[in-house]
Amino acid sequence: MIRKTISLSGDSNFLKDLIKNRISDRMIHEIKENSDSGLNIHFEIGNDLKNEITTPSIIIRPWHKQIIPFDLDGCIELHIRDLLCIDPQGKWGPKDISNWINALESNQTLDLENYPIRFWTSKNDIINLIETLIEIPKIPTLVTEVCGRRPWLANDIFLELKMLWRRINNSKLNQIDIIDLEVKEIRNTSTNYNSNPPNLSDLHNLLKIQNGNGWVTQTPIRISLMECLEEIIHFEN
């Protein structure tokens, strides 16, 4: 494994902090605070590139329907879609999870049919993806969406979140009951989903050369939802 110097540039956000911490913790590569590095990881929220990209780069952007690719030579441009996270402003992930937790806290009724089908992916899977891309000997030119492969209806995810929310609240009150102790598979009723799924073939093929597996998400959605709830609980405490 070749040791690289890596710089991180662009918009500040929680994903940038998580990736920086992972690189630092592994102590395989060196992080430099300026652009004089062998690889740049750049974060951009908008459609205008604020920084000139002069080195091989991994460009990370939140996906939206009107996104315009930068399509730069020698850059992997990732459009992160349906990131499962707490993001009340909806900059890097949908507002869905934040809205649903607020509704659970205030006992509000939600019209879940208004929420679109999501291809949820976890923060941990994104971080693992970046780690794999860092190891590519020569950064190719690639623009791709990044998300999960499985479509999820809002109602199925909300029911899981509601179950976890109930379990946490009952635990705090020392009122755990048999319902909380039941282990159930997450319901997925999106089997009749007919629209075209996101095209992940280019990403999958690139990763398969590197890791032999391609783009395969590893984090169960239940774990990601628990992490979201823990984040809210930690913030409130």
Side-chain angles (χ1 to χ4, degrees):
M1 186 176 294
I2 300 175
R3 181 176 174 85
K4 296 183 178 182
T5 56
I6 300 171
S7 60
L8 289 88
S9 62
D11 298 313
S12 298
N13 58 84
F14 62 87
L15 200 55
K16 183 178 183 180
D17 293 337
L18 290 171
I19 291 171
K20 182 177 181 179
N21 291 339
R22 176 67 68 87
I23 296 171
S24 299
D25 291 344
R26 292 293 172 87
M27 296 186 293
I28 297 172
H29 305 293
E30 178 187 3
I31 293 180
K32 300 191 73 173
E33 297 299 331
N34 53 55
S35 59
D36 185 21
S37 65
L39 175 67
N40 180 43
I41 302 176
H42 182 79
F43 297 81
E44 194 72 57
I45 292 178
N47 278 328
D48 297 320
L49 191 60
K50 302 182 186 71
N51 299 60
E52 183 180 4
I53 303 295
T54 59
T55 59
S57 298
I58 300 170
I59 301 173
I60 303 174
R61 306 174 64 191
W63 175 89
H64 57 83
K65 290 182 179 180
Q66 289 77 38
I67 194 168
I68 301 172
F70 299 141
D71 202 13
L72 302 177
D73 289 338
C75 293
I76 297 174
E77 184 176 334
L78 306 176
H79 299 167
I80 308 300
R81 176 174 176 176
D82 295 342
L83 183 64
L84 206 163
C85 61
I86 299 293
D87 191 352
Q89 297 180 335
K91 289 184 177 180
W92 284 92
K95 298 179 182 179
D96 303 14
I97 304 300
S98 296
N99 290 346
W100 298 346
I101 291 176
N102 288 336
L104 289 170
E105 286 182 322
S106 58
N107 201 28
Q108 293 177 357
T109 301
L110 289 167
D111 188 354
L112 294 169
E113 292 185 359
N114 287 335
Y115 289 86
I117 283 179
R118 301 291 190 192
F119 293 84
W120 293 111
T121 189
S122 73
K123 291 183 288 186
N124 195 53
D125 283 324
I126 298 298
I127 295 169
N128 291 339
L129 166 63
I130 301 303
E131 281 194 298
T132 302
L133 295 178
I134 287 172
E135 302 304 328
I136 294 177
K138 183 178 180 180
I139 297 296
T141 301
L142 175 68
V143 177
T144 180
E145 288 182 28
V146 182
C147 61
R149 296 184 180 276
R150 192 176 186 182
W152 290 95
L153 293 174
N155 188 62
D156 294 337
I157 298 300
F158 179 76
L159 287 176
E160 178 68 13
L161 185 68
K162 185 177 181 180
M163 180 275 293
L164 296 171
W165 178 261
R166 180 185 192 276
R167 184 181 294 173
I168 288 173
N169 281 335
N170 284 350
S171 177
K172 290 192 293 185
L173 297 171
N174 293 319
Q175 294 178 355
I176 291 288
D177 57 23
I178 192 167
I179 296 176
D180 296 317
L181 296 175
E182 285 180 335
V183 179
K184 297 180 180 179
E185 291 188 9
I186 301 178
R187 189 177 74 166
N188 190 321
T189 57
S190 64
T191 53
N192 294 324
Y193 175 74
N194 294 319
S195 299
N196 292 327
N199 185 357
L200 302 170
S201 59
D202 290 342
L203 176 65
H204 180 78
N205 293 335
L206 175 63
L207 293 175
K208 194 167 185 179
I209 296 172
Q210 190 67 21
N211 63 16
N213 298 315
W215 172 237
V216 180
T217 56
Q218 300 290 337
T219 307
I221 201 161
R222 180 172 289 166
I223 297 297
S224 297
L225 290 172
M226 279 298 301
E227 290 174 348
C228 289
L229 291 172
E230 289 171 359
E231 184 177 332
I232 290 292
I233 293 167
H234 176 74
F235 177 78
E236 289 179 345
N237 292 339

